[in-house]
Amino acid sequence: MVKNAAEPVERSVWTKRNSAKPPVTMTQSMGQTDRGLIRIRKAAKQNAHLQFNNLYSHLTLDLLRAAYFNLKKKAASGVDDVTWEAYGEGLERKLNVLHKKLHTEQYKPQPSKRIWIPKPDGKQRPVGMAAVEDKVVQQALLWIMENVYEEDFLGFSYGFRPKRSQHNALDAVYVALTQKKVSWVLDADIKGFFDALSHEWLLEFIQHRIKDRRVLRLTERFLKAGVSEEGQWSRTVEGTPQGSVISPLYANIYLHYVLDLWVHQWRKKYARGELYVIRYADDSVYCFQYQSDARAFRVLLQRRLEKFGLSLHEKKTRLIEFGRFAESNRSARNEGKPETFSFLGFTHICAKRRIDSKYTVLRKTINKKQIASLNKLKIEIARCRSLNVHIQGAWLRSVVWGYYNYYGVPGNRQSLECFRAEVCRTWFKSLRRRSHKAKKLNWYKFRWLVKRYIPSVKNTHPYPNQRFYV
């Protein structure tokens, strides 16, 4: 097995910053369990071939208690309609019963409640909401298994990992495109990954590192728990519910063996030029120096995924010419401007700096996502129209700041300005519709509300070169 090697683009800093323990310590007695998980990680780091056969004993009462307090308090309830607050009544008694069920292997997870969330393209995404008790067990199991696999996952995997975020992946893409020998980009997306994940293959992959039969049986029970939609239970033959606490880890384990290790070996043995990989969950970007490598890789990638029951999304997977020479090469062939690609909410565009006209990559908010966010916000503003204007202003300020915190990258100021202007315009129209007296409100009087509550556009993220500095 290949040990965790940082992608050359990221210069190993993010790998070194991974968390070596659960993110929350809720009780004084949690310290002993915490040290036990650290020992798991040290053992996994020292021996890449070590197989763990006694992890289930770490599902202690203290770890279950810490897992409960780590859950999102306002998350939707599962099929039993029990909220986080309701489960907390008589918590110690419930956790003791749960702990006993787990260690006598009488625990059986409930099916996930399926809901549908609209996507920007008009389709719907299925999301599975687990019961609070199941979330507690999944969170505790996640912490245990995470300490094993964080030492195995490769540096170019960013999705749902400690101390890693979407912006770390975006920074890696930016640095690869601007500082490395990149002329072609393969923007790859796996079709319906979470619904097509094979249970048999996943259990086989987990057994490479974990031989504890109780952990394997618990994992299988989570996978086979099924889903409940409008009171009707249905069996899950494949896939893992999106929205589940432990599903992201299962997804990373699956893609680690199916994709990451294979890509890492392929570029060392067969690539003629440079190849840089950035993967966030099932979305990935491959940056090539040569077109021949890119074309050969795309064909082999499709074959590799088909072997494990997966396939590339035909419409979302594209191979484009992209890089510092893309504009001149396409102009010589009379093919127009270089194509763009989208990754993690941003459209990446070949551009030139205003100062010296040198090549750079411009990142702008995807238009469809911005329009969808504004449409959703308009509905919420109309729904809250009768509330006190200061309550509305405080809420809008948090919404706008949240938008800046994600999309506030250098070069995206124009999109942020458009978003802010549309928010102000929508709020102004909503206030004027409160009553016939409210129609006296003009833009001049409205400006003090904007100044007080709607923050000015600000870049909340530095240039990737600064964040990658070691």
Side-chain angles (χ1 to χ4, degrees):
M1 180 180 296
V2 179
K3 288 189 176 182
N4 186 356
E7 184 72 351
V9 171
E10 65 176 290
R11 303 180 189 174
S12 78
V13 62
W14 297 115
T15 303
K16 293 180 181 178
R17 292 180 184 173
N18 283 345
S19 174
K21 59 182 179 180
V24 177
T25 299
M26 300 306 303
T27 63
Q28 293 179 350
S29 57
M30 180 63 185
Q32 184 176 359
T33 303
D34 190 20
R35 290 193 296 271
L37 297 184
I38 292 176
R39 288 197 296 270
I40 293 174
R41 181 151 187 167
K42 287 182 178 179
K45 184 177 181 178
Q46 291 173 358
N47 188 349
H49 301 284
L50 178 65
Q51 294 179 325
F52 295 84
N53 55 19
N54 191 25
L55 293 178
Y56 202 80
S57 60
H58 291 276
L59 279 172
T60 62
L61 185 62
D62 294 327
L63 192 64
L64 294 174
R65 187 184 301 110
Y68 168 76
F69 285 107
N70 189 73
L71 299 179
K72 293 182 179 179
K73 299 175 178 58
K74 297 183 179 180
S77 57
V79 292
D80 55 0
D81 293 327
V82 176
T83 61
W84 185 89
E85 292 84 359
Y87 191 83
E89 298 176 3
L91 178 63
E92 289 303 317
R93 177 181 58 81
K94 293 177 181 177
L95 291 181
N96 275 287
V97 172
L98 176 60
H99 182 258
K100 184 177 180 181
K101 285 183 178 179
L102 283 169
H103 286 273
T104 56
E105 297 195 52
Q106 296 178 358
Y107 166 78
K108 291 184 180 180
Q110 301 179 63
S112 299
K113 182 171 69 175
R114 175 175 287 174
I115 60 175
W116 297 87
I117 296 178
K119 298 169 65 176
D121 57 2
K123 298 181 180 180
Q124 290 186 322
R125 183 194 306 274
V127 176
M129 307 304 300
V132 175
E133 187 170 80
D134 296 334
K135 289 180 182 178
V136 170
V137 180
Q138 289 181 16
Q139 182 64 69
L141 184 62
L142 169 67
W143 282 338
I144 295 171
M145 296 179 66
E146 194 175 63
N147 280 277
V148 175
Y149 287 102
E150 273 301 308
E151 295 302 327
D152 292 345
F153 292 153
L154 301 187
F156 55 74
S157 170
Y158 291 88
F160 310 109
R161 294 180 59 187
K163 299 296 182 180
R164 290 181 173 226
S165 67
Q166 293 97 322
H167 284 280
N168 301 142
L170 289 166
D171 289 348
V173 172
Y174 182 92
V175 171
L177 294 174
T178 55
Q179 299 184 11
K180 304 299 178 179
K181 297 177 182 179
V182 174
S183 298
W184 294 86
V185 169
L186 175 62
D187 179 19
D189 182 82
I190 300 176
K191 185 177 181 180
F193 169 71
F194 284 91
D195 297 327
L197 183 147
S198 169
H199 294 174
E200 290 74 18
W201 277 114
L202 176 60
L203 291 171
E204 185 172 334
F205 293 149
I206 292 176
Q207 291 181 61
H208 285 303
R209 272 300 223 172
I210 299 175
K211 286 293 185 180
D212 192 329
R213 294 182 179 180
R214 293 175 296 176
V215 172
L216 296 174
R217 279 195 292 267
L218 183 58
T219 298
E220 188 172 10
R221 285 180 179 179
F222 281 132
L223 295 173
K224 304 292 185 182
V227 295
S228 176
E229 186 174 0
E230 297 181 354
Q232 297 294 324
W233 179 85
S234 59
R235 183 183 178 185
T236 51
V237 180
E238 59 184 11
T240 180
Q242 295 189 58
S244 170
V245 174
I246 204 168
S247 288
L249 177 62
Y250 289 158
N252 275 333
I253 294 172
Y254 200 88
L255 290 175
H256 172 72
Y257 289 100
V258 172
L259 187 62
D260 295 355
L261 293 178
W262 176 79
V263 171
H264 188 66
Q265 293 296 324
W266 189 89
R267 69 175 174 182
K268 288 199 304 183
K269 292 183 178 181
Y270 304 108
R272 292 176 52 243
E274 297 183 11
L275 166 58
Y276 301 97
V277 186
I278 301 93
R279 181 178 69 79
Y280 192 92
D282 57 331
D283 294 331
S284 51
V285 174
Y286 305 89
C287 305
F288 296 88
Q289 182 179 0
Y290 298 123
Q291 183 183 19
S292 57
D293 283 345
R295 287 182 172 177
F297 179 84
R298 180 173 183 174
V299 174
L300 295 174
L301 176 61
Q302 179 65 42
R303 293 178 185 174
R304 174 71 178 180
L305 294 177
E306 287 176 353
K307 181 180 177 181
F308 298 93
L310 304 174
S311 62
L312 292 174
H313 197 292
E314 294 132 5
K315 294 183 179 179
K316 294 183 180 180
T317 301
R318 298 183 307 129
L319 176 61
I320 62 173
E321 189 174 8
F322 198 103
R324 64 183 69 254
F325 304 113
E327 185 175 357
S328 58
N329 291 341
R330 290 179 64 86
S331 178
R333 300 193 300 264
N334 296 322
E335 293 180 353
K337 294 182 179 180
E339 295 181 80
T340 64
F341 71 93
S342 299
F343 185 60
L344 298 180
F346 290 90
T347 300
H348 293 67
I349 307 168
C350 287
K352 294 182 179 180
R353 296 190 299 189
R354 292 182 179 180
I355 301 176
D356 50 14
S357 298
K358 289 186 178 180
Y359 163 76
T360 187
V361 175
L362 183 64
R363 298 177 294 176
K364 302 183 71 173
T365 308
I366 298 176
N367 289 334
K368 289 183 178 179
K369 287 188 176 292
Q370 181 155 312
I371 292 173
S373 298
L374 287 171
N375 289 337
K376 185 178 180 180
L377 189 58
K378 288 177 182 178
I379 295 173
E380 291 297 317
I381 290 176
R383 189 175 64 86
C384 303
R385 183 180 298 157
S386 60
L387 295 179
N388 183 281
V389 66
H390 299 290
I391 296 177
Q392 294 185 47
W395 168 67
L396 281 173
R397 178 170 53 199
S398 65
V399 171
V400 174
W401 267 123
Y403 195 85
Y404 291 170
N405 285 337
Y406 187 82
Y407 292 103
V409 300
N412 195 33
R413 188 177 186 86
Q414 185 177 358
S415 296
L416 298 181
E417 292 281 6
C418 291
F419 180 83
R420 182 179 185 272
E422 191 61 30
V423 169
C424 294
R425 188 179 298 110
T426 303
W427 192 25
F428 176 69
K429 291 181 179 180
S430 176
L431 292 179
R432 281 175 58 88
R433 293 177 182 175
R434 283 157 64 99
S435 67
H436 67 281
K437 293 182 180 180
K439 292 185 178 180
K440 296 180 180 179
L441 177 69
N442 54 37
W443 189 260
Y444 181 79
K445 295 179 181 179
F446 178 68
R447 283 194 304 175
W448 75 271
L449 285 174
V450 173
K451 186 176 181 180
R452 181 173 182 179
Y453 291 111
I454 308 300
S456 301
V457 171
K458 181 181 180 181
N459 286 339
T460 55
H461 296 276
Y463 280 95
N465 299 5
Q466 298 177 22
R467 191 146 45 187
F468 269 70
Y469 179 75
V470 182

